[in-house]
Amino acid sequence: MTIVAKDLVWGVRQKTIVDSVSLTVAKGETLGLIGPNGSGKSSLLRLLAGLKQPQSGQVEILGQDIARVPRRALARQVAFVQQDTTTDTNLSVRDVVRLGRTPHRSALSGWTETDRAVVLAALERVNMNGHIAQGWQTLSGGERQRVHIARALAQTPQVMFLDEPTNHLDIHHQIEILRVIRDLELTSVIALHDLNLAAMFCDRIVVLDGGTVRACGTPEAVLTQQLLRDVFKVEADVECSLTGSPHIRFRAQ
């Protein structure tokens, strides 16, 4: 397994937010994290990526306990894409993606041909190579998110964590971004809000509720009428789409 999490516990001020969570992610798999607001998705994602330290439990990535891996070395293996990042500085697209090379360069080293090639390849992978000189502030929301992913790819990671990468995007850009992620040759863990998008693009889904795992499995095994009723407090019909993934039709109550 590429990722193995064992009995993770984390919280703040006497409140447990992630409670005894264990999970595994296979090489090349796309795992979706879903759950109601406040269920612990973002906190769990940051624990898995090593951005938060668990109060108890352990995360292994590529067979190593990440608590024992130096931060710089971990950043060469793991990339994290936030929901959104704002800046008042109007960097170019090239400069934003170059930030992904930081873990691979010393403070005094110059730019190498390898660095340039990796940045260009990352931009091409997300279809943003035609915007390389464009200013960050002039980009649309969907374009910015693709640049975020390109910056993560410039780290040349083996594992990518994404926290609601489709947040605030229209449906066209949501599908576009998730298609890009799915087609990457990486192990990915994605926190998602939209259940139908999770069903379309994730190999397996983990359902969180109150910081605990309520279900884990393929979309068709997890996204049942009973689970939607129990966890999300909604009535819905679950049908099989043309692609074979479940499609949820919510009922007006």
Side-chain angles (χ1 to χ4, degrees), residues 31-37 39-41 44 164 190-199 202 204-209 212-215 219 222-223 227-228 231-232 248:
L31 180 75
L33 299 180
I34 65 173
N37 290 340
S39 60
K41 299 188 297 296
L44 175 59
E164 302 208 24
I190 315 176
L192 287 169
H193 182 74
D194 189 300
L195 305 186
N196 282 314
L197 289 178
C202 297
R204 287 190 304 131
I205 291 173
V206 168
V207 182
L208 293 176
D209 186 23
T212 64
V213 175
R214 288 290 299 270
V222 166
L223 296 174
L227 180 130
L228 295 171
V231 174
F232 294 93
I248 301 167

Side-chain angles (χ1 to χ4, degrees), residues 170-188:
D170 60 41
I171 187 62
H172 168 75
H173 287 113
Q174 290 180 27
I175 292 173
E176 183 181 63
I177 290 295
L178 290 174
R179 186 176 288 124
V180 167
I181 296 166
R182 182 192 61 189
D183 292 343
L184 296 173
E185 296 176 0
L186 294 172
T187 304
S188 301

Side-chain angles (χ1 to χ4, degrees), residues 88-103:
D88 293 329
T89 304
N90 194 24
L91 299 173
S92 70
V93 167
R94 178 194 288 110
D95 290 337
V96 172
V97 179
R98 277 181 169 181
L99 294 172
R101 296 302 296 160
T102 302

Side-chain angles (χ1 to χ4, degrees), residues 2-253:
T2 299
I3 304 169
V4 178
K6 303 174 183 176
D7 298 320
L8 294 179
V9 176
W10 182 84
V12 291
R13 298 191 193 91
Q14 310 287 323
K15 181 180 180 181
T16 300
I17 296 173
V18 175
D19 190 1
S20 303
V21 170
S22 298
L23 58 82
T24 60
V25 190
K27 181 179 180 180
E29 185 177 28
T30 298
L31 180 75
L33 299 180
I34 65 173
N37 290 340
S39 60
K41 299 188 297 296
S42 293
S43 295
L44 175 59
L45 203 65
R46 282 163 172 75
L47 290 169
L48 296 174
L51 300 179
K52 290 182 183 293
Q53 183 176 352
Q55 292 164 347
S56 63
Q58 178 180 307
V59 178
E60 293 181 1
I61 294 180
L62 301 171
Q64 295 180 295
D65 181 349
I66 63 172
R68 301 174 181 273
V69 178
R71 309 310 298 171
R72 192 177 184 87
L74 186 63
R76 297 189 193 112
Q77 301 174 337
V78 172
F80 190 92
V81 178
Q82 302 181 67
Q83 290 185 29
D84 48 51
T85 301
T86 58
T87 177
D88 293 329
T89 304
N90 194 24
L91 299 173
S92 70
V93 167
R94 178 194 288 110
D95 290 337
V96 172
V97 179
R98 277 181 169 181
L99 294 172
R101 296 302 296 160
T102 302
H104 299 273
R105 303 174 64 247
S106 66
L108 300 178
S109 65
W111 283 92
T112 67
E113 284 302 317
T114 297
D115 291 324
R116 294 186 184 93
V118 169
V119 167
L120 289 174
L123 285 164
E124 185 173 0
R125 193 65 185 269
V126 299
N127 197 27
M128 285 295 288
N129 47 317
H131 301 260
I132 191 167
Q134 190 171 338
W136 172 259
Q137 303 288 5
T138 68
L139 299 176
S140 69
E143 289 170 338
R144 289 187 184 190
Q145 199 60 287
R146 281 191 281 165
V147 173
H148 283 319
I149 294 171
R151 180 177 62 181
L153 290 175
Q155 293 177 228
T156 60
Q158 297 183 58
V159 180
M160 187 178 292
F161 297 96
L162 305 101
D163 190 5
E164 302 208 24
T166 60
N167 199 27
H168 306 310
L169 300 182
D170 60 41
I171 187 62
H172 168 75
H173 287 113
Q174 290 180 27
I175 292 173
E176 183 181 63
I177 290 295
L178 290 174
R179 186 176 288 124
V180 167
I181 296 166
R182 182 192 61 189
D183 292 343
L184 296 173
E185 296 176 0
L186 294 172
T187 304
S188 301
V189 182
I190 315 176
L192 287 169
H193 182 74
D194 189 300
L195 305 186
N196 282 314
L197 289 178
M200 289 172 63
F201 291 100
C202 297
D203 299 309
R204 287 190 304 131
I205 291 173
V206 168
V207 182
L208 293 176
D209 186 23
T212 64
V213 175
R214 288 290 299 270
C216 178
T218 61
E220 55 268 27
V222 166
L223 296 174
T224 64
Q225 287 180 321
Q226 190 63 51
L227 180 130
L228 295 171
R229 183 180 300 118
D230 293 344
V231 174
F232 294 93
K233 313 305 179 187
V234 296
E235 296 295 331
D237 297 311
V238 182
E239 304 170 346
C240 184
S241 70
L242 294 176
T243 62
S245 63
H247 178 74
I248 301 167
R249 297 183 61 181
F250 297 100
R251 301 178 195 165
Q253 295 181 359

